[in-house]
């Protein structure tokens, strides 16, 4: 009886290996990194333009990359569920640093002053 229960439990565990199905219009990881980098740059406008609706900036970035919002959200969920978002976020960070070389110096100065290391850099 124990063997039967063990086999049943193992079958259940291996049959449920996928959390989420692959979206029909999945955005490639490289393009997803570029979109995330542009969104990060656009989100910095919040500091400059406080109390403004910056939804148009997000729409502009998605339109520039010719991506629908639904496809972006579904791809984001898929990559998070598949545990690939960390790599994509690191690629996006490299893209941001390539677009703005002063950002790397700013980040290093902040790390020296605060002594705190961001979670993704540990």
């Amino acid at each position: 009886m124990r063997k039967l229960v063990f086999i049943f439990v193992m079958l259940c565990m291996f049959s449920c290996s996928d959390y989420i199905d692959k979206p029909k219009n999945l955005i490639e990881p490289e393009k997803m990194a570029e979109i995330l980098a542009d969104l990060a740059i656009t989100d910095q406008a919040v500091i400059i333009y406080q109390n403004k609706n910056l939804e148009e900036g997000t729409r502009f970035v998605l339109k520039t990359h010719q991506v629908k919002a639904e496809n972006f959200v579904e791809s984001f969920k898929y990559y998070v569920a598949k545990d690939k978002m960390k790599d994509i976020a690191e690629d996006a960070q490299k893209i941001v640093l390539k677009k703005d070389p002063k950002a790397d110096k700013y980040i290093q100065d902040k790390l020296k002053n605060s002594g705190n290391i961001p979670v993704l850099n540990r």
Side-chain angles (χ1 to χ4, degrees), residues 6-58:
F6 177 74
I7 292 172
F8 180 72
V9 169
M10 294 304 286
L11 283 175
C12 288
M13 285 176 48
F14 289 114
S15 66
C16 300
S17 62
D18 275 349
Y19 304 124
I20 188 170
D21 294 330
K22 186 175 181 179
K24 187 170 44 171
N25 296 322
L26 182 68
I27 300 169
E28 295 298 318
E30 297 82 20
K31 189 169 186 174
M32 189 73 164
E34 291 174 15
I35 294 170
L36 288 176
D38 288 344
L39 287 174
I41 292 169
T42 303
D43 284 346
Q44 292 303 309
V46 171
I47 297 170
I48 298 170
Y49 301 108
Q50 295 177 356
N51 300 326
K52 298 288 182 183
N53 183 2
L54 297 176
E55 191 174 317
E56 287 298 320
T58 303

Side-chain angles (χ1 to χ4, degrees), residues 97-121:
L97 293 176
K98 195 182 294 183
K99 287 184 177 185
D100 187 9
K102 293 179 184 178
D104 188 36
K105 183 179 181 321
Y106 178 78
I107 292 169
Q108 296 305 323
D109 289 344
K110 284 290 186 179
L111 288 175
K112 285 179 187 175
N113 292 338
S114 68
N116 295 332
I117 299 173
V119 176
L120 290 177
N121 291 337

